[in-house]
Amino acid sequence: MTGSAEHEVQALESLPTLLTGAVADAVQAARGFAGGIYLRSSTPGLLRMAVLAGLPGQLFRSWWRMHVDLPFPVADVHRLGEEVLLTDATETMRRYPQLAAGLPFPFGSLYVPVVGASTSFGVLTVLRPSASDATEVLPDRDRMTTVAEELGAALAALDKDGPGVVVWDDEPLCVQAPSDGPSVRCVGGFTWDPRDGTVIADDALLGTTPGGFAGTPEALADALSHEDPRLMLTALRETAAGRPPAQPVPVRTADAELRLLALGTSATAPGPPYRVSGTVIDPGPGLTADRAADLLPEGVFALDRLGMITYTNPRAAELLGRPRTELLGRPLWEAVPWLNRPSYEDHVRGALLSPDPVHFQVRRPRGNGQGQTPGRHGGEWLTMSIYAGPGSLTCKLVPMGRVADAAEGDPFETTGRWADVDEPTDGAPATASLYRPIVLAIALTEAVTARQVSEVVMRELLPAFGGRRLAIYLLQDRRLYLAWETGFPEGFLAPFDGVGLDTRLPGVETLTTGRPLFYESMQQLEAAYPGIALDAEEGSRAFLPLIASGRPVGSCILGFDRARAFSAEERTVLTALAGLIAQALERARRYDNEAALARGLQEALLPHRLSAHPLVTTAGRYLPGTLGMDVGGDWYDVVEAGDGLALVIGDVQGHGVQAAATMGQLRSAVRAFALSDRSPDEVMSGTNRLLIDLDPGQFASCCYVRLDPVTGIARAARAGHPQPLLRHPDGRTEILDLPGGVVLGVDPHARYPVTDLLLEPGAVLALYTDGLVERPGTDIDEGVETLRANLARAAMRRGRAGGPSVSAAADLLTAEARQATERPDDIALLLTTRRSPNDDDR
């Protein structure tokens, strides 16, 4: 192995330790109860959660991935490089409604960018109790910022060891959050990656200093299983091979203390060996409170902050349908599969993120409950209450047939926040709000184009209901055309593209009848539509009509890989969401029509030919923005002005048809003033008064330069526009300092001073709009300086007129913007050069 490869391997091995340590430091610095870190991934534009401390990863899977263009604090912090502080749920709802809808619980949060040198690696985040005022959180934020800065410097050092070292493409490492004292039941945890042999373990678990552990599975076995380390090594290898032990492995420490070792896998590789995670539980007699809880008539059990069962009394084991030995040391949703339901998970999330108790009803299936889920009939109803503590959750189970006494002094008094108050019926139980559909509804209001609507549905609706396949058809000329699909076999939907409304297909009939169609199995679907082509042997399908304000828009198909029933609540929610999707698509269709109109208007208003002069060469470039309406109010122009030329560039505030129309009016006004050879200050003042008289509710910036092609003397006036650049014949490039007035359309008495400058033969004058130099998270001065440096380095080939080829330079200066997938603003650029009258034409 080469030295470079060895360094890269060492960097990869040290990255998890570095990240988990930084998250622990951040949680303590910000006085939080949970935290994590998102890192960039190998997928452009996608962040992945690398570490989650103090919360079970299973319950927060929806937040493992974060696209940088989503309206969430993590995305904003990474994209803009600025910290975000959310003091409480009200502030979160005001600034980030999608986050508040997905986690509607009373907590505060902090988000700090992790940056090293000039590289943005990710975002450090901490969840903390709500605060009444931001000032009380500022010291915590400052301490957390220090942690992020130190982490950024360390990651920058690792990143030098090889490309792609500081990226994260795996599932997150879930670890305990730091606490003020030792855990009552959970002794500690560890992870072992058999592919590289590294072991990461809690120091408290090993009883060693950070440098006193060799980091091998053998050293771990010696520390935890003193009597027979080979037994533990065998269990580790079996787990890595995909065969974890069904029950916790009993081990004895050097002090002869009995511990239970719970092992599991994190399938970050397509096949074995898998990464092994382990938790060590103390099953001893415990505290006096535990022995007293053993005698309670109610079921009582405890979870650590990662969802591991650390204690259960006999009654709880009876109600959960499992022996105590099969519950201890296992995650709740693995030990009790019938509790692994989205509605129940919402309540557990609420208990983890809120200081208030949570009460809800669950249905235990008939039998022993192993591997079963509650059906429509049968089973016993239980009231489950969860009480959050600083390091654990205490849970109580009471059969619905009796009510626990709330005598004075009872530590489990029945107060707090009731999530479900409806009495259970013979059908599905009352459940918590379906938060992901709420997130979908909010996200749909922000989607503009049909493609964005489809992406939102795929990202939010499918995970909310466990779907794998999606197809959206739009109605046009009494035919349904496929607009979006995902998950279906390649080419399967092609025969259904463009079908008429008289075709007997479920996607057509759901639209023509206005009724959603649900098929719980593929056999049901085939029986309803004999001979219909099926894309799978197993699964279920939902066909939803997309109707907005009584107008048919299209149809939506949801596909599930397994046969499943659709509860009355799910059918109601899906039908309602179909209406929201239809409205969003109808809005997108109107937007597309308006955008096409605006683009046509703008294309008609922008110059197709620039006025020319034998001694002057110009080159203009325009790039529309890629966000919103895609059209704006930027323009450039070259106009004959007496015996000279007027060089003009401007930028109308805003985007859309109104901005394009205002731009056209201003361009016409400036041309009229220029053709009459008015002075630059008169052109600016006259255009300013015209814009105020039009009163479009917009303002504009502008720079006007009147150039004498023979002498090279230029007279310039500026109205709130970025300063021009001047590249001298020797390559030296400067940012001009032209005094100017306020933007046009604000002050009818504004004055616009005129500045004289000289454009020597071979020099290049650059006029541009702010879209070319503005970058999110950076100062505009930095963008101007970058443009100046690029213009200075531009290779000015000789053009046919003998002067520099400004056309090639214009292409070079806009190359990065043309290649960018997102341009927040439109861009205009105008380059001008002149040659001496004594030069011969070449």
Side-chain angles (χ1 to χ4, degrees):
M1 182 180 293
T2 64
S4 175
E6 290 179 353
H7 282 301
E8 185 170 342
V9 170
Q10 293 173 359
L12 289 170
E13 292 175 350
S14 60
L15 181 60
T17 304
L18 184 63
L19 296 177
T20 54
V23 171
D25 292 342
V27 172
Q28 289 185 319
R31 296 182 295 169
F33 55 81
I37 183 169
Y38 285 86
L39 281 189
R40 59 185 184 176
S41 69
S42 58
T43 302
L46 180 68
L47 300 177
R48 287 184 179 270
M49 182 182 289
V51 175
L52 179 62
L55 294 172
Q58 172 72 16
L59 297 188
F60 293 85
R61 181 179 291 271
S62 300
W63 288 269
W64 285 8
R65 296 155 50 97
M66 181 64 62
H67 291 272
V68 297
D69 58 346
L70 292 180
F72 282 83
V74 168
D76 282 355
V77 170
H78 182 72
R79 191 176 63 254
L80 304 177
E82 300 175 354
E83 302 164 352
V84 168
L85 188 163
L86 304 175
T87 56
D88 54 19
T90 301
E91 179 72 2
T92 304
M93 176 59 77
R94 184 181 68 83
R95 297 180 59 183
Y96 296 98
Q98 288 195 43
L99 173 62
L103 295 173
F105 310 112
F107 66 92
S109 51
L110 284 166
Y111 308 84
V112 177
V114 177
V115 180
S118 59
T119 302
S120 179
F121 293 108
V123 178
L124 197 59
T125 176
V126 168
L127 308 185
R128 62 187 314 281
S130 299
S132 58
D133 190 90
T135 56
E136 67 180 85
V137 188
L138 294 181
D140 301 337
R141 182 205 61 186
D142 294 341
R143 290 191 296 269
M144 182 175 165
T145 300
T146 301
V147 174
E149 291 172 349
E150 294 174 351
L151 176 61
L155 293 179
L158 284 183
D159 206 42
K160 295 179 181 179
D161 293 327
V165 170
V166 185
V167 296
W168 196 270
D169 292 314
D170 295 334
E171 296 179 359
L173 299 173
C174 297
V175 299
Q176 294 286 350
S179 59
D180 296 333
S183 174
V184 175
R185 286 299 185 189
C186 182
V187 178
F190 65 88
T191 60
W192 170 48
D193 191 340
R195 294 179 179 269
D196 57 23
T198 57
V199 174
I200 302 172
D202 296 341
D203 294 329
L205 173 67
L206 303 170
T208 63
T209 60
F213 175 56
T216 64
E218 290 77 13
L220 180 70
D222 287 337
L224 297 182
S225 183
H226 185 73
E227 289 187 351
D228 190 359
R230 291 176 299 176
L231 177 65
M232 178 174 172
L233 287 172
T234 300
L236 288 173
R237 295 189 184 103
E238 288 292 308
T239 303
R243 299 183 296 273
Q247 309 298 333
V249 178
V251 296
R252 290 195 178 273
T253 66
D255 299 330
E257 294 289 340
L258 177 64
R259 298 288 185 265
L260 294 178
L261 177 62
L263 297 174
T265 61
S266 177
T268 57
Y274 300 112
R275 191 173 64 207
V276 177
S277 59
T279 303
V280 179
I281 305 297
D282 176 10
L287 302 177
T288 304
D290 290 344
R291 293 197 296 269
D294 284 349
L295 305 177
L296 289 175
E298 296 86 15
V300 177
F301 63 96
L303 308 173
D304 67 13
R305 299 288 298 186
L306 298 186
M308 191 79 67
I309 300 176
T310 59
Y311 165 79
T312 177
N313 72 352
R315 179 56 171 157
E318 177 186 349
L319 293 174
L320 293 175
R322 304 294 296 271
R324 296 175 75 176
T325 55
E326 297 180 10
L327 294 171
L328 290 175
R330 300 184 64 185
L332 176 64
W333 36 89
E334 291 181 8
V336 190
W338 52 269
L339 285 177
N340 187 16
R341 301 186 64 190
S343 58
Y344 300 162
E345 290 177 354
D346 277 332
H347 297 308
V348 180
R349 276 192 290 267
L352 287 163
L353 299 177
S354 169
D356 300 324
V358 174
H359 312 277
F360 57 102
Q361 287 80 48
V362 300
R363 186 201 289 270
R364 184 186 67 177
R366 286 175 176 172
N368 61 7
Q370 299 186 31
Q372 301 182 32
T373 56
R376 291 175 178 262
H377 304 283
E380 179 183 10
W381 282 99
L382 308 173
T383 295
M384 186 169 178
S385 302
I386 306 179
Y387 306 82
S392 63
L393 303 177
T394 299
C395 308
K396 183 177 65 170
L397 288 171
V398 178
M400 288 291 291
R402 63 176 294 272
V403 179
D405 295 332
E408 185 177 356
D410 182 9
F412 306 114
E413 59 180 337
T414 54
T415 60
R417 174 169 53 88
W418 283 86
D420 294 316
V421 297
D422 294 338
E423 287 293 325
T425 65
D426 192 43
T431 59
S433 301
L434 296 174
Y435 296 125
R436 287 297 290 272
I438 295 177
V439 173
L440 168 66
I442 296 175
L444 284 175
T445 64
E446 301 177 354
V448 177
T449 65
R451 179 180 181 84
Q452 290 173 344
V453 172
S454 301
E455 288 176 341
V456 167
V457 174
M458 181 186 68
R459 188 175 64 240
E460 302 295 348
L461 183 62
L462 287 184
F465 292 90
R468 299 290 184 184
R469 306 181 186 195
L470 168 71
I472 293 179
Y473 287 84
L474 296 181
L475 179 64
Q476 182 178 353
D477 298 329
R478 295 189 58 78
R479 291 185 176 273
L480 285 174
Y481 293 93
L482 183 62
W484 183 273
E485 68 166 303
T486 182
F488 286 92
E490 184 177 359
F492 173 76
L493 295 177
F496 305 105
D497 191 15
V499 297
L501 294 185
D502 56 349
T503 308
R504 190 173 186 275
L505 289 171
V508 174
E509 292 195 12
T510 189
L511 179 62
T512 55
T513 64
R515 294 185 297 103
L517 303 175
F518 298 93
Y519 298 97
E520 300 182 355
S521 68
M522 301 303 285
Q523 291 73 26
Q524 282 189 8
L525 176 59
E526 188 175 24
Y529 296 89
I532 189 174
L534 301 177
D535 58 302
E537 295 181 359
E538 299 293 334
S540 54
R541 296 291 181 267
F543 298 86
L544 308 174
L546 302 180
I547 300 175
S549 302
R551 296 182 55 187
V553 176
S555 57
C556 176
I557 305 173
L558 298 180
F560 305 85
D561 290 343
R562 298 179 181 178
R564 56 160 293 174
F566 296 91
S567 68
E569 181 183 33
E570 287 177 323
R571 294 177 184 231
T572 301
V573 171
L574 284 171
T575 303
L577 289 176
L580 292 177
I581 296 169
Q583 292 176 7
L585 288 170
E586 183 70 6
R587 187 174 64 248
R589 181 177 295 176
R590 291 196 302 268
Y591 166 85
D592 290 339
N593 293 336
E594 184 179 354
L597 173 62
R599 281 191 291 268
L601 176 61
Q602 186 183 48
E603 184 177 353
L605 294 175
L606 284 173
H608 295 276
R609 183 182 62 84
L610 300 177
S611 297
H613 190 281
L615 298 179
V616 177
T617 303
T618 59
R621 298 290 184 270
Y622 175 80
L623 299 175
T626 60
L627 303 179
M629 187 59 72
D630 292 348
V631 292
D634 290 18
W635 91 94
Y636 62 87
D637 209 349
V638 179
V639 188
E640 293 181 6
D643 56 358
L645 288 179
L647 313 173
V648 188
I649 197 159
D651 182 1
V652 177
Q653 168 217 17
H655 298 82
V657 175
Q658 182 62 54
T662 302
M663 176 269 285
Q665 292 171 314
L666 293 184
R667 176 173 176 259
S668 298
V670 172
R671 287 183 65 87
F673 287 127
L675 288 171
S676 62
D677 202 14
R678 300 280 189 92
S679 65
D681 56 329
E682 291 179 314
V683 173
M684 289 289 95
S685 297
T687 307
N688 176 51
R689 289 192 294 271
L690 173 66
L691 183 57
I692 292 174
D693 291 341
L694 292 173
D695 192 22
Q698 294 172 304
F699 57 83
S701 66
C702 185
C703 186
Y704 181 93
V705 180
R706 200 275 189 192
L707 172 67
D708 186 333
V710 177
T711 64
I713 296 175
R715 307 192 69 215
R718 192 172 60 88
H721 203 79
Q723 294 282 5
L725 304 180
L726 180 61
R727 185 184 191 274
H728 296 276
D730 59 3
R732 179 175 54 88
T733 305
E734 63 176 315
I735 303 171
L736 298 179
D737 185 14
L738 305 183
V742 298
V743 292
L744 305 175
V746 175
D747 180 6
H749 305 293
R751 301 177 62 85
Y752 299 94
V754 177
T755 303
D756 291 340
L757 54 98
L758 177 64
L759 185 65
E760 302 174 88
V764 178
L765 179 68
L767 307 179
Y768 54 93
T769 57
D770 55 10
L772 186 60
V773 293
E774 282 188 328
R775 296 291 183 275
T778 62
D779 191 277
I780 190 173
D781 292 338
E782 296 180 19
V784 174
E785 176 57 30
T786 299
L787 180 64
R788 184 204 65 77
N790 291 338
L791 181 61
R793 289 193 294 266
M796 295 293 185
R797 300 191 304 271
R798 306 296 290 181
R800 286 180 297 177
S805 175
V806 290
S807 180
D811 289 337
L812 175 66
L813 297 181
T814 57
E816 181 180 353
R818 286 199 309 272
Q819 297 169 2
T821 56
E822 291 187 0
R823 287 189 298 272
D825 198 1
D826 44 348
I827 293 170
L829 171 70
L830 178 63
L831 299 183
T832 304
T833 188
R834 61 177 287 270
R835 66 185 185 91
S836 170
N838 300 322
D839 290 345
D840 294 329
D841 291 338
R842 302 177 188 180

